[in-house]
Every structure is written in structure tokens, then in C-alpha cells.
């Protein structure tokens, strides 16, 4: 008996991908093929790079969300948090620009990471220490962050110092060996995320806490700490997204990041992470973010749909994709 | 043995013909042919993972068979689902407790068959009926209690009550007594006898062979998913049953007692009180000692040790492990100091049922499979292989979620899990709950080897023979307090029961 | 409230640049008027939706006597009834920007002209393009303002040989406009001009064009007179040589005109229509408010 | 020990209201007191009637959401669904007004109920038959309904026929014995909801399905049917809210009901219904809806907060209320 199981265990390791986990990738492939049929320029290099670069923001934030969700939480505040972090970062950069020159960008970026981590920690601590539904907590902080950015921008826009713009632009528009920098940054975040979730103690505990907090507690896992840390990771991811985002448009506005939370959660769920927690799929999440952005892109590239109905078609495609995935399993 | 004398022409209540079940490539049961007759208690015995629970699920419509067919009262039947089987008069009491924890006892009992008056549910009638059934099986739970608040044993009784709510042709009890203590077991056995007298067929699974001997009319033995045979109970001794199950000669059940321990205490606890009550308790355990903790269900044993572990609010005057005072008590701190606790609630607190075996095994002791910030996954797989071998976890593949293991094998996985951190003191709450007799002796051996190696073990058990056979010293709890201590020759069934029941003048 | 005359101001919450400007100017007006006329109390309330605005009206009238109401309605139909209710209590009504469906309710109407914003831009564009070419359009959030601007624009364009390749929503959001423009650029190999019906979106459009390196796009126009865009106009930017004003400061004008009557001046009634003349490098100065957030 | 537990159980039954269930009502009371301190007219009859009348919409929809959530589901589409139902209803009324006169209102209302039920059924069937996360399904249908109303209004607005307005007005503005009609309607909905959830077989099963679908299935509860029905109830509630809503604003627009889903879910959760399902609190939900509306009202009545920060203060109040509730237990 034990011989058999040892052999099986060996095979197990050599075959790490479960078929059901392939769903999001298959869905992505189908959408790519359909897209190419609808409009050949869909697969043009520029378009592909545009779409992938754009999806970098949602993907980066969604990596954080994968941690939060797989640890049994939820964060609705990410969109507003990103706007808030962006605002703080721009204010710091603008304040330092006269004295530090483009060094202000580095300080601003570092500050953004700190602020993001603190925002995440606030969410996490209210959820864990206060023992309140994450949905309510992060809905509350969503309102708070959104109001703060509106306040900081006076309802208008908070542009980054002109002097910094050129030095900062490459973070969004630059590329290394033809690969745009946001894609590289998101790759780094994704690899770090995958490493953390799959290869470290923390990742294990995260999934255990999400699967059954009681079992985790009885196994010596500091449940509250693990969950809080997931929100902090989320905050850091938001900050990284903010850092990549600012050079794109050069300003924070009250609409920055609006409704991104929904996109982020959708990406995570499409990617195969269950909302009730207990398992996280980093690569699935990435596929989810790409799927969302590819569908939106296709809606514009195709001429099939009235502008009024774009959202409807997107909704239908997502539901159909999930249904197909469900029934081909 | 009235059932054996039944005339041949009365068709059996339920007949299984060549029944089999496969999950993907794995065959867990094959070629089971079995008659269950009205008015008989038919016991099914077999090792952990032999397929008993699977067979019961096939018979009660919870799982569809992959091969074979069922014949009920002479008519072939194929149950669409559990409800169809229930309608036909077959009720299954699951081995794993299946109740909705957020609902009350009465709501659980009547779920799916609520009593209504006009448009509304008739809570009064349901509560009344629930109270009757609960009383008839000696359950302390009240109709209005939330299941979430009930201890395990009471939940089990609620499950049994649920099966007995309506008249049945066949009642299947899958290890109903695993979480019960003696008094409740007696009450349950009475109920089974009453059912038999009422002409109901009872299928009874238990690893406690004395119960089987006392109750069963016929016994079917399963081994590795195969049917070994059906025997009249009178023809089998407990030892013969065990050997049929295991397919080999069994060693002694309990290891010989060890010499009295002499060293300084490994663990010393003074003035431990848990919760709001004044439940101050002091005790110690020495290297080489098995300390048994006895008591009635709900006497607070689990509570006391969960308090010690820091799993529930508790105060202690002084706690010393290995000569070092312990300040903050938490599972992690205890683990690092060398003490672990194995919970009695393996499903709710022990294992992540939807995760694979390896993450379950290593969750408590992740540091063991952790090198410079990275999980050593091949080390983890190797650890699993070792655990599967050392603890004799019977799986046909390790590609399973923990929830797919048989109950007994889950218990062994749990044991392997807490032992991953090489503790010097092990607290095991109900060590052999749901473990077959062959494996029981393995676990006892295991505990024996552990303490012989200079470690100590605290065993909380509701099974008297186990407590008596294993312990060097026994503490008895009653009403949340440690009320008696026995050593050596004083450790007898009678003494422990007397001490445990001393305050039970309420029944 | 200590015998003070209360002027209630109800406007949409700051959700994008233009409404941000409205809130800014309304707050300015509140401070200035309260400083100038100690016996007037200006109560400013913002609402994030039509429903909330109706609620705010109810709350304002329930808690105090209000002498005048200055309202920038979210939508016409939805606010008509509720404003009528307020009017029934004898309150002076000033409507700003979007008319109510029943104009007899208002005492004073200070309005921008959304149709003109679209139409004037279209006329300019048609002229510059010589009446032909291929253009793409970005529209805002599905509301009346957006609808009117698009209507004004397309009516003029329909009379020329200019072809509108595509119209899509970008929700008055810079970011979405950037994305949408990227997609337009991917989809259409040749685009002569872009119109974003709001300057917020135009900023995103310009970024996308710059990033693509495409040079055939001769005009990228917006509307609303956002200060960043007016700066471009003042700098004779060849791609964005004009804008159209739709000044959020109209709320300030309206509040001042309403307040005036409580200080001896005869009540101002009637309609003040702000046109949407083209902002050109020549007149840009007068539309430029460097301190406004918009 | 068994004595103790018996006593506990007995005490439990003689005291049917659990202390923790009183949380939302206490929070409401505190807000009322604070409100009265901030502005005495907060408790004036007009203001109280206004606030209660207004909260009727969210309350009615939230009753439906209580069913959906306690059965283990979630419906993010209610706001858009309400806009869609409103749109359909107005189109039908306007089409029939010439021939039927004010009878068109009745037909339109009936049609709204049918449409609402169908929309709910669609959500429910996709969730149960398709076995897809409710979050994703209803996010998809949210986009679909929103797009449909945008399409129906051509991006503008869809007003109700002038001829019908006066006949219809009383449904929002009328009152019986001084009690506004929306309050009466919502009372009827609330009582029906309470009856259905607490006193009928269906209500029992709803909670059971949410608590543990596996157990419910073994017990012969048709899980999918119960869950689908919860969404249908949700749809009906949305339709009732739409019927009360139209006379208030007289038109459907693409922004009708926007973000109501968040308010509705917040009301339900503040009211004590757990998002993971298994228990529903109708009266708590009502208190939750009142709390939200009272806070919003207070923001308007008080002059303490910058306009930009209103949302932040609301978020803070909700979180603090939940925290206070948690720690006074
Ligand atoms: N869903 C499943 N997929 C694969 N294997 C399964 C599944 N469910 C059960 N098994 C396997 O079937 C075998 C028989 O399990 P079963 O629960 O019937 O054992 P049992 O005789 O009841 O044991 P125990 O005494 O421990 O309860 C076990 O090896 C178990 O791992
Ligand atoms: N009848 C009861 N009703 C509610 N709670 C109870 C009841 N009996 C015990 N409890 C609580 O349930 C928990 C479990 O009791 P506990 O497990 O400590 O008893 P035990 O002696 O270990 O018995 P068991 O054999 O059930 O493990 C404790 O928190 C106890 O207070
Ligand atoms: Mg079993
Ligand atoms: Mg116990």
C-alpha cells in the first residue's frame, strides 16, 4: 500500500496542473481566437501590447486580492485606495520636486508603498480585531478613501509637477527590449505573488485560514495576523499599481480607479479562486485580468454592438465563459 | 436469535447484489452481496478504509453504485437520492456529523419534513415531538438549542434522533457510538434493541467489538473493499471478528504497563481555570507516563485542555514545561516548547477537508519542511510518504483531499500531523475515535513507544477500557473539576465510573 | 436660524472634473456672500444621484425655512416634481444649467447650452476639415447633458461629408478615455479628428495619441473649458486650438443673482443663457481660472 | 454539566430575543439621539416622515436581499434591475395611457412585478443551474440590466406620460391617516417577508440552505429551487420598489438605482444577517435601511462636514456603529 502511494506521490509532483485549473487559460485562448476572427488588428503587436499593458493595473491589484480572498476576506476599497495613494504620492512628489528634482519620484514611490501598506493594515485590523464582515469594512473604507481623494483634489484634478513628468513617463510608456515597463513590473509582482502563495509558509497559512479558520487556529496559525497581512499585501499591490498609473495620465482625480474593485474581484474569481476562501490561483487571476481587458478591447474593435449595449455584451460573455468552463469540466 | 429462524420465503428488507463503487480509477468496493432482514441487527465490521461507510452510502441512496443492484422487499430499486431512500424507509446516520450548525436542534430534526399548520410551520408541535424523541434516546440537547453550541456527543444524538423521527424499515448507524460515552452508549443500545423488537432492520457499524458482540444477530466482514463473509454473531468471538477484519493474527491490544515514572515532571500545571466557572485544576505529567483523563461527556475535559492550550480564555497560576515556565500560552508557543494537542473534533478543527493530504500534514509544523523561506515540497511529499507508512494511513492514492479519507484514516492523518513537530508532551483528545481494532493497538503501541522514549502523553478518553488499559495514572473530571486520581492497581473501570458519576444525581 | 435669510444650494457631488468645478465655485460663492452679507446664510448641499438630490431637497425644506433655492438638477424629469414642492412653500427658485420639464416653476434660470457645445464644436471642426474626413467621438456618462452635446454635434456633422467612425462611452473619465482612444487607434488606421465631449476625457485622448506616435490626427477637441486645455489653447496648440466654455462658474453667477434680491435690489427674474462661444487663443484669457480645480 | 446546559437551554427559550440581535436597533436609537442633538429639526415630524418614506425603497429591496443572502446567495444586480424594471414599466404605461387612461398604471405595475420576477429567476437559474458564484452572475446581470436601461432611454431619460402623473403621484406622495403610502407598502412587504422567513416552510428551508446546502440536500430540501425562489422574491421586491419609485422621480434614467446594491447589502448586513448565509433578520434589515437613510439625512442637516467628505463620514459612522455593537455585546 505504502509503495503504491509513494509512486503516486512522485507522479503527483510531475503533474502539477489540474485540468480544472486550466479553465481560465482556455477561456482566454478562445477569446483570443474569436477576437482575431472579428478583427485581425486584434492580434496586432500594438494592440496586444496595449491590452496587456492596460491589464497590468488590474492584474497587480488582483494579485493582492487573491491573497485577501483566499484568506477568506474581501476588499472592496481597492479602487478608492488606489486613487487615495495616487493623490498622496503626487502631493509628496510635487512638494519635494523643487528640492529633490527627479529624486522626488523615488521618495514619492516609497511613500506610496508605505501609505498603501498602512491603508491595507487599517482594513485588515478593523476586519480582524473588530471582527466585522470585510464587505462592510471595506465598503466603508471605500467611501472614506474616495472622499479623501475628492477632498485632496477639491473635486478637480491633482496633476503631477510638470518638471517630474518627463522623468516619470517611462514607468508607464517606456519599455525594455520591447516589453513595456508596466508589463515587467506586473510580471515581478505576479512572480512574487506566486512565490509567496505557493512556496512559502505564509501562503500555506493564508489558504488554511481561508479554508477553515478554526482548523488553522488549532494548528497554531495566527489567524488574525495572517489575514491582516493579506490586506497589507493588497495595500502594497495597490501602491505598486498606483506607481505605474501616475505617469500614464499624470494626475489623480476623484474618478481614478472607480469601480476597479469589481473588475479586480471578477478577475480573481474568473481565475478560479473561490470567493469563500481556501484556495488562491495567482496565474488564474492573471488570466482573468487579461480576459476582462481583452473583452473590453474587443467590444471597441468589433462593430457589432451598439454603444449602449457594450456593458450587456460584456456581462453576457463573462457569464457564458463561466458556464462553458463549468460544463466542459 | 430470532432472525436466523425466520422462514426463507420472507424476502429480506434490503438485499444488495454484487454491489460495487469506483471513484475514477479507484475501486473502493466490489462484489458485495448482502441480505438485511427485518428484525435483525446486522453489524458491518472492517478496518478503517475497508469501505463500510461507502457501502452504507450506497444502501441509503447517498451515493450511486457503480455496479450491482439493490432489491427491497423483493423488488429491485434504484434510489435517485437520499430522499428517495428515506421515503422508502431507509435512514442513515452518518459517521461524520451532518447537521446545519446555524439552525436549532428542532429545525435540524424536521428539515425537509416540517410539520405545518395551514401555511405556517407548527413550531410547537415540532418542538414537542423533538423533545420526545430526544428524551427517548437520552439526549440532553433541547429542541431550541443551536446545534453550533452543542458538544459533539449531543450532535451525534441529534443525528440519531433525526433518523428515528419517522417509522423506518431500515436504520443504518455508521459508528454512532464513536463520540459517545458509556451511559449514552447503553441508552443507544437499548434503542437498537427496541427497534429490532419492532421489526425494524438495523445495520450497525462500530469499531467497538464488545458492542457488536452484545447487539448483533449477524455480522458481515469487509476487508479492502471486498466482502469476506456474513456470519451468525454467535459463532464469532471478539478476537475472531478482529482477525477476520485484519486477515492476520492480532497482537495484544494494550501494551504492557511500564514501570512507575520517576523523573521530574515534564509538564506542571497549577491553578488552571477555564471560562467563567471556578474550574481550578492542577496536575502534572512525568516522562515515561501516560496520564489518562476520564469523565462523563461534557465534564469539561476538552474545555480544560483547550484552555491550557490557549484556545479558549483561561487563567493559570503556573505552567511549567521541561522545567521552563511558559508565559503566553498559544498553540504555536506550545508547539515550539514541545507540547501538542490533538483535537477531538477532527472535521471541524482538525483537518482542512478540502485540501490535500500534504498541506494538512504539515500545517502545524511548517518549519519542518521549510528551508530558507521556501517550502520544501519534495521534503513535504517525503514526509507524507513517511507518515502514510508510519501511521498506516490506508489510501489507494495520495491524490485525495483529506475529506475523502475514511474516518479512521483521517484520525491517523491527524495524529501524524501533530507528531510532525516532535513534541515531548502529547495531549490526545479521544485518540481512537473511529479507529478499527487493528489500528487501535497500533496507536496504543505508538503511545507506548513514545513514553518509553522519555516523552509523556495525556490521553483524554471516553472509552473506559482504553483509559484503564493504557494509563499509568488516571485523573477523573466531573462538573469541570478534577475530582479523583487513581494510580496503578486503583485504575479500574469501577473506580473511574464511580468517580465520574459521583455528581450525576440528576439522571 | 437667528432670523437669517437662508439660500439653499443643491448641486451634484464632485464626481468628475466639471462637477468638481461646480462644487468649487459654489463654495467660493458661499464664503464670499456670507462674508459680504452677514444676514444671509448660504446652505450648500451636494448629492451623488438624482434620488439623493430629491432627498436633500426634502431635508433642506423639512429642517428650515428657505427663502431661495439654487439648484443644478441632476436630471430634468426626476427633479421637476420635487422642486415644484419647494416652490409651493413660497421659495424663490433659481435653476442652473439643466432646465426643469416645467419652466414655469423657476423664477430665475441660469443656463449653459449643451446643444451649442456640441454644435459649435462640430461647426468649427467641419470648417477646419473642409467638410470631410473621418472622426471618432467619445461620450460621457449616459445622462441628458451627454445626450444633448452628442445631439448638437451629430446634427451638424450629419450635414457634412464627415464620417463618424465610432461613438463610445468613456464615462467622463480620463483613464477610460485613454483606453478607448488606444482602441480607436488600433481599430482605425486613419483618423482625421477626435472629439471628446468633455475636456477631462480629452486629456486621456491626448496621452493615447502621443503614445501611439500617430501623426495624421489633425484635431483633438474637447469641451467645457478645463484650465489645462485652455492653457493649450492659449499656447496655440495646433491639435487643440479651441475649446468651448461650459463654465462651472455659472453656479456662482446664479447664487450671486439670487442673493442680490435680498439686499435691496429688485428681484432678478427671467433667463440668463450662457452661450458656448468658441474659446480661441484670442479670448482664452477670460475663461481661465488658475485657482479653480477645473 | 448536563444540568448547566439544560438550564442554559431553558433560559434561552424563555428569552426569545437574543441580546446580539438588538444591535441594529440600539445603533438606530443612538443615531436618533445624536441626530436630535446635532439638529433639533432632525426629529421633527416632517423630517422623520421624509426619512422613513425614503428608506422605504432600500428597505423593500433589502427584504428581498435578506432572503437571497440568508439562502447563501448575493445579488449585486438589484440597482440596475430596478432601473430596468422602471424603464419597462414606464414604457408599458406610456404605451397604454392613451387607451386605458390611468388604468395603464395598474397594468404597468402588474407588468413590473412579472418582469421583476423574471429577472430574479434569471439570476437564480444561472446561479443554481449553472453553479456559478452569485457574485459573478449578478455582476454580469448588473451590467446587462444597466446597459438595457441605457439602451431603452437612448442614454437620456424616459419620463412617464404627463397624463398619468397626477393619478400616479399619490403612490409616493399620498398618505393614509397621516402615514405616507410608501411606508404602508413597505410595511406590508416587511410583514410578508417576516411571515415568509420565520413562519413558513420555505423560510426555514431558505435558512437551512444557506447554513449548509449539503445537509439541506440530504434532508430532501430542493436546494436549487429554494435558492432560485429567493432570487425571484428579490426580483418581486425590486419591482415593488420600482412601483413606489416612479412617481417620486417621474422618469427612468441610466443612473436610476445606481449603487443601490451596495446600500441594500449594507442594510442587510448591518441588520445582523450574515453574508455567509444561514440566518436572516427581517427587522434588523429594516433597522439597517433606516440607519443608512438617517445617516445620510444627518449629513445634510448638519453643517459640520465639508461637502467632499460626506462619504467619508458616512463610512466612518457605519464602521464605528458595527464596532460599538461588537464590543458592547
Ligand atoms: N470521493 C472519494 N474519492 C476517492 N476515494 C474515496 C472517496 N470517498 C472515499 N474514498 C475511499 O474509499 C475507501 C473506503 O472509505 P470508507 O469511508 O467507506 O471506509 P470505512 O470502512 O468507513 O472506514 P472507517 O472505519 O475509517 O470509517 C477509503 O480508502 C477512502 O479513501
Ligand atoms: N449540554 C451542553 N450544552 C452546551 N454546551 C455544552 C454542553 N455540554 C458541554 N458543553 C460545552 O461544550 C464544550 C465541550 O465540552 P467538553 O468537550 O469539554 O466535555 P468533555 O468532557 O471533553 O466531553 P466530550 O466527551 O464531549 O469531549 C465545552 O465548552 C462545554 O462547556
Ligand atoms: Mg467509515
Ligand atoms: Mg471532549
Amino acid at each position: 500500500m505504502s509503495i503504491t502511494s509513494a509512486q503516486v506521490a512522485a507522479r503527483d509532483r510531475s503533474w502539477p496542473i489540474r485540468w480544472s485549473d486550466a479553465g481560465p487559460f482556455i477561456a482566454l485562448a478562445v477569446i483570443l481566437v474569436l477576437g482575431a476572427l472579428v478583427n485581425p488588428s486584434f492580434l496586432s503587436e500594438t494592440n496586444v501590447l496595449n491590452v496587456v499593458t492596460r491589464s497590468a493595473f488590474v492584474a497587480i491589484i488582483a494579485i493582492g486580492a487573491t491573497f485577501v480572498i483566499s484568506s477568506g476576506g474581501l476588499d472592496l476599497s481597492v479602487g478608492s485606495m488606489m486613487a487615495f495613494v495616487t493623490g498622496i504620492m503626487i502631493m509628496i512628489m510635487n512638494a519635494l520636486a523643487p528640492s529633490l528634482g527627479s529624486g522626488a519620484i523615488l521618495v514619492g514611490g516609497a511613500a506610496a508603498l508605505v501609505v498603501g501598506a498602512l491603508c491595507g493594515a487599517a482594513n485588515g485590523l478593523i476586519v480582524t480585531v473588530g471582527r466585522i464582515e470585510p464587505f462592510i469594512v471595506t465598503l466603508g473604507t471605500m467611501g472614506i478613501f474616495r472622499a479623501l481623494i475628492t477632498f485632496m483634489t477639491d473635486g478637480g484634478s491633482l496633476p503631477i509637477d510638470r518638471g517630474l513628468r518627463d522623468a516619470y513617463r517611462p514607468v508607464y510608456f517606456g519599455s525594455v527590449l520591447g516589453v513595456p515597463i508596466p508589463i515587467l513590473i506586473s510580471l515581478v509582482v505576479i512572480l512574487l505573488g506566486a512565490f509567496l502563495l505557493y512556496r512559502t509558509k505564509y501562503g500555506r497559512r493564508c489558504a488554511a485560514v481561508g479554508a477553515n479558520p478554526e482548523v488553522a487556529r488549532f494548528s497554531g496559525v495566527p489567524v488574525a495576523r495572517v489575514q491582516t497581512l493579506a490586506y497589507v499585501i493588497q495595500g502594497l499591490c495597490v501602491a505598486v499599481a498606483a506607481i505605474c498609473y501616475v505617469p500614464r495620465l499624470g494626475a489623480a482625480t476623484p474618478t481614478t480607479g472607480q469601480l476597479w474593485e469589481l473588475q479586480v474581484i471578477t478577475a480573481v474569481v474568473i481565475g478560479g479562486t473561490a470567493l469563500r476562501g481556501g484556495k488562491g490561483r495567482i496565474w488564474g487571476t492573471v488570466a482573468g485580468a487579461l480576459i476582462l481587458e481583452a473583452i473590453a478591447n474587443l467590444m471597441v474593435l468589433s462593430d457589432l454592438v451598439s454603444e449602449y449595449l457594450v456593458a450587456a455584451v460584456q456581462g453576457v460573455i463573462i457569464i457564458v465563459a463561466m458556464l462553458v468552463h463549468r460544463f466542459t469540466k | 436469535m430470532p432472525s436466523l429462524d425466520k422462514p426463507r420465503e420472507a424476502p429480506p428488507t434490503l438485499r444488495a447484489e454484487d454491489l460495487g463503487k469506483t471513484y475514477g480509477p479507484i475501486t473502493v468496493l466490489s462484489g458485495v452481496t448482502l441480505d438485511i432482514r427485518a428484525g435483525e441487527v446486522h453489524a458491518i465490521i472492517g478496518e478503517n478504509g475497508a469501505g463500510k461507510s461507502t457501502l452504507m452510502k450506497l444502501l441509503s441512496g447517498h451515493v450511486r453504485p457503480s455496479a450491482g443492484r439493490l432489491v427491497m422487499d423483493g423488488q429491485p430499486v434504484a434510489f435517485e437520492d437520499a430522499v428517495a431512500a428515506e421515503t422508502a424507509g431507509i435512514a442513515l446516520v452518518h459517521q461524520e456529523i451532518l447537521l446545519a450548525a446555524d439552525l436549532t436542534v428542532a429545525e435540524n430534526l424536521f428539515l425537509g419534513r416540517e410539520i405545518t399548520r395551514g401555511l405556517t410551520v407548527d413550531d410547537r408541535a415540532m418542538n414537542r415531538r423533538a423533545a420526545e424523541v430526544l428524551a427517548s434516546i437520552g439526549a440532553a440537547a433541547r429542541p431550541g438549542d443551536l446545534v453550533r453550541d452543542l458538544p459533539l456527543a449531543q450532535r451525534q444524538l441529534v443525528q440519531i434522533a433525526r433518523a428515528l423521527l419517522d417509522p423506518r424499515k431500515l436504520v443504518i448507524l455508521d459508528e454512532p457510538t464513536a463520540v459517545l460515552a458509556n451511559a449514552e452508549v447503553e441508552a443507544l443500545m437499548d434503542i437498537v434493541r427496541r427497534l429490532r423488537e419492532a421489526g425494524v432492520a438495523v445495520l450497525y457499524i462500530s469499531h467497538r467489538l464488545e458492542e457488536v458482540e452484545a447487539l448483533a444477530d449477524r455480522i458481515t466482514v469487509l476487508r479492502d473493499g471486498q466482502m469476506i463473509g456474513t456470519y451468525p454473531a454467535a459463532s464469532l468471538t471478539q478476537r475472531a471478528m478482529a482477525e477476520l477484519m485484519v486477515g492476520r493474527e492480532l497482537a495484544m491490544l494494550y501494551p504492557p504497563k511500564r514501570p512507575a515514572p520517576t523523573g521530574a515532571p515534564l509538564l506542571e500545571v497549577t491553578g488552571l481555570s477555564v471560562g467563567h466557572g471556578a474550574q481550578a485544576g492542577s496536575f502534572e505529567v512525568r516522562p515515561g507516563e501516560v496520564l489518562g483523563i476520564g469523565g462523563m461527556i461534557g465534564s469539561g475535559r476538552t474545555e480544560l485542555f483547550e484552555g491550557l492550550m490557549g484556545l479558549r480564555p483561561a487563567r493559570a497560576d503556573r505552567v511549567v514545561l521541561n522545567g521552563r515556565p511558559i508565559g503566553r500560552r498559544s498553540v504555536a508557543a506550545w508547539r515550539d516548547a514541545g507540547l501538542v494537542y490533538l483535537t477531538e473534533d477532527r472535521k471541524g478543527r482538525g483537518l482542512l477537508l478540502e485540501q490535500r493530504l500534504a498541506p494538512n500534514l504539515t500545517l502545524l509544523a511548517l518549519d519542518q519542511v521549510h528551508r530558507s523561506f521556501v517550502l520544501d515540497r519534495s521534503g513535504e511529499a517525503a514526509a507524507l510518504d513517511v507518515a502514510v507508512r508510519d501511521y498506516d494511513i490506508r489510501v489507494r492514492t495520495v491524490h485525495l483531499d483529506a475529506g475523502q479519507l475514511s474516518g479512521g484514516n483521517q484520525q491517523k492523518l491527524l495524529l501524524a500531523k501533530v507528531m510532525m513537530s516532535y513534541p515531548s508532551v502529547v495531549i490526545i483528545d479521544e485518540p481512537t475515535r473511529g479507529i478499527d481494532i487493528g489500528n487501535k493497538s497500533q496507536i496504543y503501541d505508538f503511545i507506548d513507544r513514545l513514553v518509553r522514549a522519555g516523552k509523556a502523553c495525556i490521553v483524554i478518553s471516553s472509552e473506559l477500557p482504553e483509559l484503564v488499559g493504557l494509563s499509568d495514572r488516571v485523573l477523573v473530571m466531573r462538573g469541570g473539576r478534577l475530582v479523583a486520581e487513581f494510580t496503578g492497581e486503583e485504575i479500574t473501570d469501577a473506580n473511574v465510573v464511580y468517580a465520574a458519576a459521583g455528581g450525576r444525581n440528576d439522571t | 436660524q437667528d432670523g437669517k435669510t437662508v439660500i439653499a444650494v443643491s448641486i451634484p457631488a464632485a464626481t468628475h472634473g466639471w462637477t468638481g468645478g461646480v462644487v468649487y465655485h459654489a463654495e467660493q460663492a458661499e464664503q464670499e456672500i456670507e462674508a459680504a452679507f452677514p444676514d444671509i446664510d448660504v446652505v450648500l448641499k451636494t448629492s451623488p444621484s438624482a434620488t439623493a438630490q430629491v432627498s436633500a431637497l426634502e431635508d433642506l425644506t423639512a429642517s428650515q425655512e428657505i427663502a431661495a433655492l439654487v439648484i443644478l438638477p441632476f436630471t430634468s424629469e426626476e427633479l421637476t416634481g420635487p422642486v415644484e414642492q419647494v416652490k409651493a412653500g413660497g421659495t424663490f427658485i433659481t435653476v442652473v444649467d439643466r432646465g426643469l420639464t416645467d419652466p414655469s416653476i423657476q423664477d430665475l434660470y441660469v443656463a449653459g447650452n449643451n446643444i451649442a457645445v456640441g454644435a459649435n464644436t462640430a461647426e468649427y471642426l467641419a470648417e477646419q476639415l473642409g467638410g470631410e474626413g473621418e472622426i471618432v467621438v467619445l461620450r460621457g456618462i449616459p445622462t441628458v447633458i451627454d445626450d444633448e452635446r452628442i445631439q448638437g454635434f451629430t446634427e451638424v456633422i450629419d450635414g457634412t461629408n464627415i464620417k463618424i467612425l465610432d461613438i463610445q462611452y468613456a464615462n467622463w473619465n480620463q483613464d477610460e478615455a485613454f483606453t478607448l482612444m488606444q482602441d480607436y487607434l488600433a481599430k482605425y488606421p486613419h483618423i482625421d479628428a477626435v472629439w471628446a465631449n468633455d475636456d477631462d476625457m480629452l486629456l486621456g485622448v491626448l496621452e493615447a495619441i502621443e503614445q501611439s506616435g500617430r501623426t495624421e490626427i489633425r484635431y483633438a477637441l474637447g469641451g467645457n473649458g478645463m484650465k489645462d486645455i485652455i492653457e493649450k489653447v492659449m499656447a496655440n496648440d495646433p491639435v487643440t486650438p479651441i475649446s468651448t466654455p461650459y463654465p462651472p462658474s455659472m453656479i456662482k453667477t446664479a447664487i450671486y443673482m439670487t442673493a442680490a434680491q435680498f439686499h435691496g435690489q429688485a428681484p432678478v427674474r427671467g433667463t440668463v443663457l450662457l452661450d458656448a462661444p468658441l474659446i480661441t487663443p484670442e479670448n482664452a484669457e477670460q475663461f481661465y481660472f488658475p485657482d479653480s480645480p477645473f
Side-chain angles (χ1 to χ4, degrees), chain A residues 74 76 126 129-133 135-148 150-151 154-156 259 261-263 265-267 269-270 273-276 306 308-313 315-316 318-319 322-323 326-327:
Chain A
L74 188 71
L76 294 174
I126 301 175
V129 178
R131 278 174 298 130
I132 306 182
E133 292 264 10
F135 189 97
I136 293 296
V137 172
T138 57
L139 191 65
T141 54
M142 167 171 130
I144 295 173
F145 294 135
R146 183 61 67 200
L148 289 175
T150 310
F151 181 71
D154 271 345
L259 296 187
E261 52 278 359
L262 295 183
Q263 283 202 53
I265 297 172
T266 309
V269 176
I270 291 184
T273 300
L275 265 185
R276 72 191 140 72
S306 144
Y308 300 125
L309 291 178
V310 167
V313 176
V316 170
I318 290 171
I319 293 178
M322 298 285 287
L323 279 175
R326 172 77 64 216
F327 288 108

Side-chain angles (χ1 to χ4, degrees), chain A residues 82-95 145-162 164-165 168 242 245-256, chain C residues 15-18 20-21 174 200 203 226-228 290-294:
Chain A
M82 145 124 175
F84 175 67
V85 171
T86 308
I88 296 266
M89 181 167 71
I90 291 180
M91 282 168 75
I92 292 178
M93 287 183 183
N94 289 357
F145 294 135
R146 183 61 67 200
L148 289 175
I149 182 70
T150 310
F151 181 71
M152 283 155 54
T153 58
D154 271 345
S157 95
L158 183 66
I160 185 168
D161 197 292
R162 303 209 146 254
L164 295 176
R165 237 178 242 197
Y168 199 173
Y245 171 89
V246 168
R248 175 163 154 183
L249 295 175
T253 70
T255 51
T256 299
Chain C
T15 50
H16 60 277
W18 193 78
Q174 270 184 43
D200 247 332
L203 291 177
M226 187 187 208
K227 74 178 177 200
D228 306 53
D291 293 332
S292 162
F294 184 67

Side-chain angles (χ1 to χ4, degrees), chain C residues 196-266:
Chain C
N197 77 11
D198 169 280
D199 283 341
D200 247 332
M201 295 195 290
L202 182 58
L203 291 177
V205 167
L206 293 173
E207 276 298 345
I209 295 175
E210 178 176 347
Q211 180 221 10
S212 72
R214 292 261 288 260
T215 49
E216 87 277 9
I217 300 166
R218 287 191 274 159
Y219 296 100
L221 303 181
N224 269 7
M226 187 187 208
K227 74 178 177 200
D228 306 53
I229 301 301
I230 294 186
E231 282 164 14
K232 279 189 188 292
V233 173
M234 293 196 292
N236 284 315
D237 189 293
V239 176
T240 310
I242 58 136
S243 184
T244 35
Y246 197 78
S249 60
M250 68 176 77
I251 189 75
K252 193 171 177 179
T253 315
I255 298 174
Y256 263 103
M257 290 173 76
T258 307
Q261 62 177 305
F262 297 106
H263 259 263
Q265 283 105 327

Side-chain angles (χ1 to χ4, degrees), chain B residues 23 28 48-54 95 175 207 396 404 406-408:
Chain B
Y23 287 107
V28 298
N48 295 131
K52 303 179 296 296
S53 298
T54 307
Q95 177 176 14
E175 294 191 38
H207 289 299
R396 287 166 177 78
Q404 290 170 325
S406 81

Side-chain angles (χ1 to χ4, degrees), chain C residues 151-164:
Chain C
Q151 189 195 333
F153 187 83
T154 44
E155 274 168 12
V156 173
I157 296 294
D158 284 348
T160 68
N161 286 329
I162 296 175
K163 182 167 176 232
I164 297 180

Side-chain angles (χ1 to χ4, degrees), chain C residues 14 20 23-24 27 43-46 50-51 54-56 58-60 62-64 75 77-82 85 101-102 139 141-144 147 169 293:
Chain C
V23 175
Y24 171 82
E27 285 194 330
V43 178
L44 174 64
K45 293 299 162 193
T46 60
T51 318
V54 175
S55 301
E58 290 172 359
D59 293 345
L60 286 168
S63 60
Q64 63 212 330
T75 54
E77 287 82 4
E78 294 171 302
L79 269 302
T80 299
Q85 295 277 105
T101 37
D102 179 359
R139 61 191 299 182
I141 294 171
T143 61
V144 185
D147 214 33
Y169 285 105

